[in-house]
Amino acid sequence: ISVDRARLQEIERHATEDLRRMESQYKEILGEIEVEGTVMNPDSGLINPQSHQQLRQLLFGGTKNIFDESEQLEATRDFSVPKGAKAKDGSKLRSSERFTIESWGLEPAAGRKMFTKKGWPSTGKEALEKLQKDEAQNVQQQLEAKGWDPVMAKKAFEAMEIYRQMAS
């Protein structure tokens, strides 16, 4: 089979650019979401979109473990700053520094497949898709029911749509 290496490299370059653009949009939207006039996650630029632990924290903080209800995800949690990360002013951050993710406090979609084997809400493709497309309990509807401004709830919904595209 003959392969056009130059064409493959071009496709890879475009895909990488698209992924970087989506990651940037995702982080930017997360940094714009305010509740009661305060930005929830001002350090959104430090969030690692490939971290299921950070995504679980963002979406489901406060959720109890389905196998042990005495265990619960924290509503707010600190994470280590990624290596090589820079502050908004461009200065380099030390990896010993921490940043905080404040949760949206969503309810995971119903069903055993929507949880991990350890009993925590899943951030897998199927679970996120169900959370976005659920006509009665999608991200935007849940946040509006919690009293979020509809504009901010829509931003959260948009951020999750971008995330799902990145994960595909």
Side-chain angles (χ1 to χ4, degrees), residues 103-166:
S103 179
W104 297 348
L106 297 173
E107 290 293 324
R112 177 63 191 100
K113 284 185 172 183
M114 301 304 119
F115 290 84
T116 66
K117 292 177 182 177
K118 293 185 178 182
W120 297 112
S122 174
T123 58
K125 182 179 177 179
E126 184 179 346
L128 295 179
E129 205 167 277
K130 188 169 183 180
L131 186 64
Q132 278 296 92
K133 293 183 177 183
D134 188 320
E135 292 185 21
Q137 283 284 87
N138 71 37
V139 170
Q140 186 171 350
Q141 291 165 323
Q142 284 193 49
L143 295 175
E144 286 181 22
K146 289 175 146 301
W148 279 37
D149 177 285
V151 172
M152 293 298 130
K154 184 168 177 49
K155 279 185 181 278
F157 185 87
E158 290 170 3
M160 290 312 304
E161 281 299 310
I162 292 168
Y163 182 87
R164 282 187 337 109
Q165 289 174 16
M166 286 187 307

Side-chain angles (χ1 to χ4, degrees), residues 18-62:
D18 287 346
L19 182 59
R20 283 191 187 126
R21 181 185 45 77
M22 286 188 285
E23 281 185 12
S24 179
Q25 286 177 320
Y26 172 71
K27 291 177 179 184
E28 184 178 323
I29 292 171
L30 292 181
E32 294 172 352
I33 295 174
E34 297 179 4
V35 174
E36 298 177 4
T38 303
V39 174
M40 287 189 78
N41 291 293
D43 295 323
S44 63
L46 299 173
I47 292 175
N48 177 359
Q50 279 77 45
S51 171
H52 289 281
Q53 193 174 45
Q54 290 181 15
L55 181 62
R56 183 176 296 117
Q57 176 61 40
L58 176 69
L59 299 178
F60 303 115

Side-chain angles (χ1 to χ4, degrees), residues 3 6 41-42 47-48 56 63 65-66 70 75 79 88-89 93 100 107 110 117 131 140 160:
V3 175
N41 291 293
I47 292 175
N48 177 359
R56 183 176 296 117
T63 301
N65 185 297
I66 61 169
S70 69
F79 290 89
K88 291 179 183 176
D89 65 5
L93 296 170
T100 302
E107 290 293 324
K117 292 177 182 177
L131 186 64
Q140 186 171 350
M160 290 312 304

